[in-house]
Amino acid sequence: MRNVAVVGIGETAFGEHWEKSLRALAVEAGIAAIRDANIEGADIEAMYIGNMSAGKFIGQEHLAALAVDQAGLVGIPSSRLEAACASGSLAFRQACLAVASGEYDIVIAAGAEKMTDLQTEDVTTTLMGAGDQEWEGWLGMTFPGLYALMARRHMYEYNTTREQMALFSVNGHKNAALNPKAQFPFEITVEDVLNSPLVADPLRLLDCSPVSDGAAAVIIASEDVAKRFENPIWLIGSGQATDNLALHDRKSLTSLRATKIAAKRAYEQAGIAPEKIDVAEVHDCFSINGLVALEDLGFCERGKSGKFVEDGNIERGAAVSINTSGGLKAKGHPVGATGISQIIEIVKQLRGECGKRQVPAEFGLTHNVGGTGATVVVNIFGKELKER
Amino acid sequence: MRNVAVVGIGETAFGEHWEKSLRALAVEAGIAAIRDANIEGADIEAMYIGNMSAGKFIGQEHLAALAVDQAGLVGIPSSRLEAACASGSLAFRQACLAVASGEYDIVIAAGAEKMTDLQTEDVTTTLMGAGDQEWEGWLGMTFPGLYALMARRHMYEYNTTREQMALFSVNGHKNAALNPKAQFPFEITVEDVLNSPLVADPLRLLDCSPVSDGAAAVIIASEDVAKRFENPIWLIGSGQATDNLALHDRKSLTSLRATKIAAKRAYEQAGIAPEKIDVAEVHDCFSINGLVALEDLGFCERGKSGKFVEDGNIERGAAVSINTSGGLKAKGHPVGATGISQIIEIVKQLRGECGKRQVPAEFGLTHNVGGTGATVVVNIFGKELKER
Amino acid sequence: MVHRSSVPMHWRLYESRYNLVGNKCLVCGEFFYPSKIVCPNCRRRGILKRVVFSGKGKIYSYTIIRNAPRGFEKYAPYVVAIIELDEGPRVMGWIVDSKISDIKIGQRVSVVFRKIYEDGKEGLIHYGFKFRVIDENNQLRD
Amino acid sequence: MVHRSSVPMHWRLYESRYNLVGNKCLVCGEFFYPSKIVCPNCRRRGILKRVVFSGKGKIYSYTIIRNAPRGFEKYAPYVVAIIELDEGPRVMGWIVDSKISDIKIGQRVSVVFRKIYEDGKEGLIHYGFKFRVIDENNQLRD
Ligand SMILES: [Zn+2]
Ligand SMILES: [Zn+2]
C-alpha cells in the first residue's frame, strides 16, 4: 500500500451563495486546489466528489460527471460518494485508496453542496434522508430532533449542562471570527446561545449548524509524486466505520460507536495516541455532537466532555485546539463539502498557513459524521511521512 | 497493485416487487452472495453499494449504512457510489481498487434500486436527474427522448433502420426467456417492437428498458485469498471514463466517447483485443444504445452495428454473445443494480453455470453506462489469472 | 419535494406500524422492533419469530420538535421520544395526550393508535402508533 | 417529487435563457452555450467573453416526447430538438409553431421566446427560448 499526501487545497467561502450554482461552486473550489498545487488540470487522473443530496436539493444526480465536465476535464474517471454529511470524507478516503492501489498518481477529491435553493421545510425533509426514512423520517422527526434526543440523554446520564453545550458553539464562533471563509465570522456568548429560539428541546438555534452552500477540494498524490511538492501533508492514519442507521436501534445515545471504531483504526495506523493530536476538526453539526466527539476520540473521558470544554481545553493552543476553522456551526455546513473542508483546515494548520488562528501543530485529526453517526470517518495527518 | 477476483455472486429476481422494500432487496442479494461464496458475514471487511436515486425514489439517502445495518454487519466501512445508471459498476470498481490497495482482502460490492414506489411521471422526472437538470431536464426532456435524439441521428448518418434497432430487443428477450431472474422471460418479435406505442419518436415502448426493482451483490477477494476459493473469476481489465453531461455538448451523438476511453483502458490492461471477447453484457437501456455499444466496444465497425445485428452476430454462440442475461431491456433495469447484475451474468458464463443460455466463454466483458454516456465503466473478466 | 409515496411503500409496513409487530431471535433471545431481516447476533444460525409487543415501556429520551419538516408544519410543536419497551427494544414515537410536566426520562407510557400525517391534500392518510403517559399501575394519568 | 425550486435557482440562468447569452474563448475561438466556466480547450490560458447568439441555426436531431415527466403532462406530445447554431454550439430546445412535416434534420430554425412550464399551481412560471422553422432566406414558413 502506497503512502499518500495532500499537495493542494482550495475552497469557496461557505454561506448563502444565491448567485452561484452547485456546478459553479464545485469548479471554483477545484480550480483553487489545482492552482494551490501548482499543477495543470491535465495532470489530474481521476476525480472523487462527495455530495449528499443534490438529487433533492437541485434535482441533479450524476454530479461526478457534471463536475469534470464543468471543470473542462472531460474524460477522466469521476465518482460521486455519498454517506450523508460524511460524503466529503468518503470521497477523500476512496481517492486515497485508489492512489494507494497504484491506479492513479494524482487525483482530486472534492465535496460540494447547494442547500439554499430549497425552502426551509424542504431542506429539513431532505436532510432527514440521512436518517431512517421508514422509522424516523415518516414520524416528522428532524435532524435537530435526533441530536436533541442524544443531548437530553447526555444531560441525564452525565449531568452535562446547557451552558457546557453552548460553550462548544462559542468556541467555534471565536475561531470563525478569524476565518475569512466562514459563514458566521463573529463571536457569540453563552447567553446568546441560551437566548436563541428553541429548535428541538433542549437544542436552540445557536446549537445548530446552518444551511450552507459551498465546495472544497484537495489534490492527493502518491508518495513518490508528493515528494516533488513543496509542502506535502501526509495522511498517516484513516478509519471509516458504520453503526445502526436509526437512533433507537443503538445501544447508547451518548457515544457514537462508529467514531470509536474509526478512531481506533486511525490511531493504530498512525501509531500515535490521542494526546499527540494538536489540532482537530470535529463534527459539530450540533453542539452536543461536538462534546460526544471529544469523548469518543479519546480527548477526554466518557461523560466528562462538558467539564473538559468548560476548563478551556479546546481553545486555540490548549490541550487540543478544536475547530480552529470555526467548525460546522460557525464556518458553515454545506453537508457534502464539510469533510473536505475539515481536511483543508488541518492541512493549513500543519503547513502553518492559518494566520491569526494558527496553532503549533505536528499532528492533526478530522472527524466527519454521517447522519446521527451511522457513518464516521476519522483521518490523521502529519507533517512527516510515517514509514510503513 | 494486487489482482482481484469475484468469488461469490447473488441477486434478487428483477421486476415489480410490491412486497419488498429497498432494504429487503439489498439484504436478499447480499446474503445470496455470501452463501454462494461460502463465507461468513464476519469475513466481510467493507461494503460498497451502487444506487442512483433512493433519495428521490423512497426519500432515503445514506443507503450504505442502512445496508450493513439491515444485513447485520454493523461496524464495517460502507460507501455508496453514484453515477446514475452506472452506479453499480462504480461500486464494483471502487471495491476492487480498495482490495487492490491492500486495505481489505474480502469486500462485498452491491447495487440496488427500488423504482416502483413512485408514480410513472415522478419516475420519469427522477431519472432525468442523470442528465443535465439545468439545460435538459428543465425543458421537459426525458431519458427516452435523449436516446431518441441519438437514434434519429444514427439512422441519419448510417442508414440504420428501425428493424435493426428492434432486433436488439428481440435478441435480449430470446435470452431472457431462459433466465428465471428476468423481468420479461418471454420472446418478442420485430413486429411486436414496431407495433408497440411510441414513447419518444423513433423509440417505441419495446425499445426501452423497464422500471424495475432489484438488487445484486458480488464478493471480491484479493489474489491470495481468491486462490483458496473453488472457482474465482478474475478481473483482468477495467476502465472508467466520463463525457459531457448534456447531450448537446457532445461532438457526436452516434458514439459514446466515454465507452471508447474506458474500453481502450480495459483492453490494454487485459492485453486482449475485442475479437477475444466471447460474451458481453452491454448497456441497452434503449435499443439504440445497444447498437452504439457494439461499435464503441470494437465488436463491429462504426456505423455498421445495424447490419452486424441483422446478420446474427450477437446471438448466443455467434461472433460475440450479447446480453445472454436478457440485457437491461428484458432482464430488467433497476438502475443502481444493473452494473453488478451484468458482472454476475459474466461470472456465471465463465463458471459455466448458465444452463440453457450457456455459451462457450473464456473472456467476458461488461459495459455499464450512466446517463446518456457521461459515465461509462468497462470490465473484462477471465477464467485464468493474468500475471501483471 | 415531499415524498409523494405510493400505497405499497406503506402497506409493506402496516402490520408493524398498526399492531407493533416485531420479532425475536429464538437462539439468542433478543427482541427486535422493527423486525430484523437477519439476527445481528446469530446471523444465519438465528431463528426469527414474529412477536406482538405489549406497547408498554418507559421514556428513554425525548424532544419537542418546533421546526417541522414539510407536511408536519401544522402539528408543531410536538413531542417525539425514544421509548424502551418492556420487552427490551427501543422504538421512536410521539407522546400525546399527556401533560408536558409528566414527560421525563423514565416515565412509563403505553401505546395508542393514531393518525401520523396526511400525504398532501388528496394523498394517503398514514396511521401508526403513538404513546401516552401512564402511572406505575399502568393506569392513564388524568 | 417535482422539484419545487426557489427563485435564485432560475434567475441565475435568466440572462442565458432569455437572451441566448453564452460565451466565446478569445484564445481558441470556440463558442459555448451555455457559458463555460473554464475553456475546455485552453483551461487557465483561455479568455472567455460574453456573446449573444443570433438564434439562427439548423436541426441536428429531434424527437417527439409522448410520455412527459411530472409538470409537462398537459403539453405532450411536444417536439424537442438539438439545434446547431450558426456560430457553432448546439443547444436543446422545443420546436413550436411549425408543421411536423417541416421538422427534419438540417432544417433551418430561428429562436422565439416562450413560456416553458409552470412550477405547480402557485409556483413560478418559467420562460425561455424555443425554436421555429424558417426557410433558407430566414423567413417564417406559413
Ligand atoms: Zn440471535
Ligand atoms: Zn479556448
Side-chain angles (χ1 to χ4, degrees):
Chain A
M1 199 160 169
R2 309 195 302 174
N3 283 298
V4 302
V6 175
V7 299
I9 56 176
E11 61 186 330
T12 68
F14 284 6
E16 297 185 349
H17 290 296
W18 304 108
E19 76 294 359
K20 291 178 188 170
S21 63
L22 180 61
R23 56 188 80 190
L25 290 165
V27 170
E28 181 182 331
I31 287 178
I34 290 169
R35 292 202 170 159
D36 179 70
N38 197 20
I39 58 173
E40 298 285 323
D43 295 328
I44 294 174
E45 297 165 77
M47 176 184 278
Y48 289 83
I49 185 162
N51 170 267
M52 173 179 164
S53 214
K56 298 193 81 169
F57 282 126
I58 61 168
Q60 182 70 64
E61 310 282 3
H62 213 171
L63 189 66
L66 179 59
V68 290
D69 175 342
Q70 297 291 307
L73 297 173
V74 161
I76 63 169
S78 185
S79 304
R80 172 196 172 198
L81 276 291
E82 185 266 324
C85 322
S87 300
S89 288
L90 256 72
F92 178 76
R93 187 174 154 87
Q94 290 316 310
C96 290
L97 289 175
V99 171
S101 80
E103 180 77 359
Y104 314 115
D105 279 319
I106 300 183
V107 304
I108 189 165
E113 206 84 45
K114 176 77 193 174
M115 302 173 72
T116 64
D117 274 352
L118 281 188
Q119 295 167 16
T120 311
E121 294 81 357
D122 294 323
V123 172
T124 304
T125 303
T126 297
L127 289 176
M128 263 311 290
D132 187 324
Q133 185 62 27
E134 287 188 4
W135 299 103
E136 296 176 330
W138 93 292
L139 288 172
M141 195 41 162
T142 66
F143 248 79
L146 291 168
Y147 275 99
L149 295 173
M150 295 168 68
R152 175 91 63 194
R153 194 72 202 178
H154 206 277
M155 295 168 86
Y156 175 83
E157 290 182 20
Y158 301 117
N159 295 312
T160 304
T161 67
R162 263 293 351 174
E163 287 73 13
Q164 289 168 339
M165 288 195 275
L167 277 169
F168 204 95
S169 294
V170 170
N171 180 69
H173 274 262
K174 201 167 163 185
N175 291 330
L178 305 176
N179 184 356
K181 300 278 190 190
Q183 184 164 0
F184 301 131
F186 52 80
E187 300 198 16
I188 60 170
T189 64
V190 168
E191 290 66 41
D192 291 335
V193 180
L194 300 187
N195 291 327
S196 64
L198 278 162
V199 171
D201 315 32
L203 296 183
R204 293 173 178 272
L205 187 63
L206 293 182
D207 291 298
C208 308
S209 55
V211 169
S212 315
D213 302 328
V218 296
I219 311 290
I220 296 159
S222 60
E223 180 170 335
D224 290 348
V225 172
K227 282 179 172 166
R228 301 203 294 261
F229 285 78
E230 211 170 299
N231 205 354
I233 299 299
W234 300 92
L235 177 67
I236 60 172
S238 173
Q240 180 185 339
T242 48
D243 199 350
N244 297 100
L245 187 62
L247 206 56
H248 56 82
D249 267 345
R250 312 257 181 93
K251 297 280 179 245
S252 168
L253 293 194
T254 56
S255 170
L256 299 189
R257 179 160 59 146
T259 297
K260 291 189 153 185
I261 300 171
K264 184 165 183 287
R265 167 99 181 135
Y267 285 128
E268 279 174 5
Q269 219 174 55
I272 62 172
E275 296 74 38
K276 296 286 285 180
I277 301 296
D278 303 297
V279 55
E281 291 283 309
V282 308
H283 196 93
D284 63 327
C285 48
F286 300 93
S287 55
I288 180 63
N289 206 31
L291 293 190
V292 169
L294 298 175
E295 301 174 14
D296 291 338
L297 291 167
F299 296 139
C300 66
E301 278 179 62
R302 183 150 180 186
K304 300 285 173 61
S305 55
K307 186 74 168 49
F308 186 76
V309 171
E310 209 168 59
D311 291 348
N313 290 303
I314 68 167
E315 292 171 24
R316 284 197 312 280
V320 55
S321 303
I322 296 289
N323 292 1
T324 57
S325 72
L328 282 58
K329 167 66 197 81
K331 185 183 183 187
H333 184 29
V335 285
T338 290
I340 302 289
S341 177
Q342 292 178 317
I343 291 164
I344 289 175
E345 178 70 8
I346 295 302
V347 168
K348 287 171 89 168
Q349 286 286 357
L350 296 182
R351 282 181 179 178
E353 293 178 353
C354 276
K356 287 187 183 167
R357 63 182 196 280
Q358 181 68 45
V359 297
E362 194 184 348
F363 295 109
L365 177 148
T366 62
H367 166 255
N368 192 197
V369 173
T372 51
T375 299
V376 174
V377 182
V378 174
N379 293 309
I380 300 175
F381 297 88
K383 289 160 86 163
E384 304 299 330
L385 170 62
K386 186 183 155 287
E387 299 298 338
R388 298 197 179 194
Chain B
M1 200 162 167
R2 310 195 304 174
N3 282 296
V4 302
V6 176
V7 299
I9 56 176
E11 61 185 329
T12 68
F14 284 4
E16 297 184 349
H17 290 296
W18 304 108
E19 76 294 359
K20 290 178 188 169
S21 64
L22 180 61
R23 57 188 78 190
L25 290 166
V27 169
E28 182 181 332
I31 288 178
I34 290 169
R35 292 202 170 158
D36 179 71
N38 197 22
I39 58 173
E40 298 284 325
D43 295 329
I44 295 175
E45 297 165 77
M47 177 184 278
Y48 289 82
I49 185 162
N51 171 268
M52 173 180 164
S53 214
K56 298 192 80 170
F57 283 126
I58 61 167
Q60 182 71 62
E61 310 282 4
H62 212 173
L63 190 65
L66 179 59
V68 290
D69 174 343
Q70 296 291 306
L73 297 173
V74 161
I76 63 169
S78 185
S79 304
R80 173 196 171 198
L81 276 291
E82 185 267 324
C85 322
S87 300
S89 289
L90 256 73
F92 177 76
R93 187 174 153 87
Q94 290 316 311
C96 290
L97 289 175
V99 170
S101 80
E103 180 78 359
Y104 313 115
D105 279 319
I106 301 183
V107 304
I108 188 164
E113 206 84 46
K114 175 77 193 175
M115 302 172 73
T116 63
D117 274 352
L118 282 188
Q119 295 167 16
T120 311
E121 294 81 358
D122 294 322
V123 172
T124 303
T125 303
T126 297
L127 290 176
M128 263 311 290
D132 188 325
Q133 185 61 27
E134 287 188 3
W135 300 102
E136 296 178 331
W138 93 293
L139 287 173
M141 195 42 162
T142 65
F143 247 79
L146 291 168
Y147 276 98
L149 294 172
M150 296 167 68
R152 176 91 63 194
R153 193 73 202 178
H154 206 277
M155 293 169 85
Y156 176 83
E157 291 182 20
Y158 302 116
N159 295 313
T160 304
T161 67
R162 264 292 351 175
E163 288 72 15
Q164 289 168 340
M165 288 194 276
L167 277 169
F168 203 95
S169 293
V170 170
N171 178 69
H173 274 263
K174 202 165 162 185
N175 291 330
L178 305 176
N179 183 356
K181 300 278 191 189
Q183 184 164 1
F184 301 130
F186 52 79
E187 300 198 14
I188 61 170
T189 65
V190 169
E191 290 66 42
D192 291 335
V193 180
L194 300 186
N195 292 327
S196 65
L198 278 162
V199 171
D201 313 33
L203 298 182
R204 292 172 180 273
L205 187 63
L206 293 182
D207 290 297
C208 307
S209 55
V211 170
S212 317
D213 303 327
V218 297
I219 310 290
I220 296 160
S222 60
E223 181 171 336
D224 290 349
V225 172
K227 283 179 171 165
R228 301 202 295 261
F229 284 78
E230 212 171 299
N231 205 354
I233 299 299
W234 300 92
L235 177 68
I236 61 172
S238 173
Q240 179 184 338
T242 48
D243 199 349
N244 297 99
L245 187 64
L247 207 56
H248 55 82
D249 267 345
R250 312 256 180 94
K251 298 280 177 246
S252 168
L253 294 193
T254 57
S255 170
L256 299 189
R257 179 161 58 148
T259 298
K260 291 188 153 185
I261 300 171
K264 184 165 182 285
R265 167 99 181 134
Y267 285 128
E268 279 174 6
Q269 218 174 53
I272 62 172
E275 297 73 38
K276 295 286 286 180
I277 302 295
D278 304 297
V279 55
E281 291 284 309
V282 308
H283 196 95
D284 64 325
C285 48
F286 300 93
S287 56
I288 179 63
N289 206 31
L291 294 189
V292 170
L294 298 176
E295 301 173 14
D296 291 337
L297 292 167
F299 297 139
C300 67
E301 278 179 62
R302 181 148 181 187
K304 301 285 174 62
S305 56
K307 186 74 168 49
F308 187 76
V309 170
E310 208 168 61
D311 291 349
N313 290 303
I314 67 167
E315 293 171 23
R316 285 197 311 280
V320 54
S321 304
I322 297 289
N323 291 2
T324 57
S325 72
L328 282 56
K329 168 66 195 82
K331 185 185 182 185
H333 184 28
V335 285
T338 289
I340 301 287
S341 176
Q342 292 178 318
I343 291 164
I344 290 175
E345 179 70 7
I346 295 303
V347 168
K348 286 170 89 167
Q349 286 287 357
L350 295 182
R351 282 180 179 180
E353 294 178 351
C354 276
K356 287 185 181 167
R357 63 183 198 279
Q358 181 68 45
V359 298
E362 195 185 346
F363 296 109
L365 176 149
T366 62
H367 166 254
N368 192 195
V369 173
T372 52
T375 299
V376 175
V377 182
V378 174
N379 293 308
I380 300 175
F381 297 88
K383 289 159 84 164
E384 304 298 331
L385 170 61
K386 187 183 154 285
E387 299 299 339
R388 297 196 180 194
Chain C
M1 285 299 303
V2 182
H3 193 72
R4 187 165 53 206
S5 44
S6 67
V7 175
M9 185 168 181
H10 293 276
W11 70 238
R12 286 196 293 270
L13 301 167
Y14 278 177
E15 194 187 30
S16 299
R17 287 181 177 169
Y18 286 14
N19 301 323
L20 212 60
V21 168
N23 58 12
K24 176 190 179 176
C25 177
L26 299 182
V27 176
C28 66
E30 191 170 341
F31 286 84
F32 304 106
Y33 185 89
S35 294
K36 292 282 183 197
I37 306 170
V38 181
C39 172
N41 309 315
C42 311
R43 298 193 50 78
R44 79 178 70 170
R45 277 165 291 277
I47 302 166
L48 292 164
K49 189 174 166 294
R50 179 179 182 279
V51 166
V52 184
F53 288 99
S54 68
K56 300 266 191 311
K58 57 188 186 196
I59 296 174
Y60 188 77
S61 193
Y62 69 95
T63 184
I64 305 171
I65 302 295
R66 293 169 191 275
N67 296 19
R70 182 73 71 194
F72 287 88
E73 301 92 331
K74 65 178 170 182
Y75 307 114
Y78 47 90
V79 179
V80 186
I82 291 181
I83 307 301
E84 188 165 277
L85 297 174
D86 289 347
E87 294 87 348
R90 296 189 197 126
V91 305
M92 188 171 284
W94 289 28
I95 296 183
V96 293
D97 300 347
S98 306
K99 275 187 287 190
I100 193 79
S101 58
D102 280 344
I103 298 173
K104 50 183 180 291
I105 292 179
Q107 174 63 50
R108 286 194 61 76
V109 295
S110 179
V111 78
V112 290
F113 184 70
R114 290 291 161 80
K115 182 172 89 172
I116 303 288
Y117 72 105
E118 292 157 46
D119 215 357
K121 274 176 196 144
E122 291 147 34
L124 299 171
I125 299 176
H126 298 290
Y127 297 90
F129 58 81
K130 296 184 178 182
F131 293 91
R132 58 182 168 183
V133 165
I134 55 175
D135 65 20
E136 295 308 312
N137 302 317
N138 292 338
Q139 301 300 308
L140 285 178
R141 296 254 172 117
D142 47 17
Chain D
M1 285 297 304
V2 182
H3 192 74
R4 186 164 54 205
S5 44
S6 68
V7 174
M9 185 168 181
H10 292 278
W11 72 237
R12 285 196 293 269
L13 300 167
Y14 277 177
E15 193 186 30
S16 299
R17 286 179 177 170
Y18 285 13
N19 301 325
L20 213 59
V21 169
N23 58 12
K24 177 190 178 173
C25 176
L26 300 181
V27 177
C28 67
E30 191 170 342
F31 287 84
F32 303 106
Y33 185 88
S35 294
K36 292 283 185 198
I37 306 170
V38 181
C39 173
N41 309 315
C42 310
R43 298 192 52 77
R44 79 179 70 170
R45 278 166 291 278
I47 302 166
L48 292 164
K49 188 174 167 292
R50 179 178 181 279
V51 166
V52 184
F53 289 98
S54 68
K56 300 270 191 309
K58 58 188 185 200
I59 296 174
Y60 189 77
S61 192
Y62 68 96
T63 184
I64 306 172
I65 302 295
R66 293 168 191 275
N67 296 18
R70 181 74 68 193
F72 287 88
E73 300 93 331
K74 65 179 173 184
Y75 306 113
Y78 47 90
V79 179
V80 186
I82 290 180
I83 307 301
E84 189 165 275
L85 297 174
D86 289 347
E87 295 87 348
R90 296 189 197 126
V91 305
M92 189 171 284
W94 289 28
I95 297 182
V96 293
D97 301 347
S98 305
K99 275 187 287 189
I100 194 77
S101 58
D102 281 343
I103 298 173
K104 49 183 181 291
I105 291 178
Q107 175 63 51
R108 285 196 61 76
V109 294
S110 178
V111 78
V112 290
F113 184 70
R114 289 294 160 81
K115 181 174 90 174
I116 303 289
Y117 72 104
E118 293 157 46
D119 215 358
K121 274 175 196 147
E122 292 147 34
L124 299 171
I125 299 176
H126 298 289
Y127 297 90
F129 57 82
K130 297 184 178 182
F131 294 90
R132 58 184 168 183
V133 166
I134 55 176
D135 66 20
E136 294 309 310
N137 301 317
N138 292 339
Q139 300 301 307
L140 286 180
R141 296 256 172 114
D142 48 18

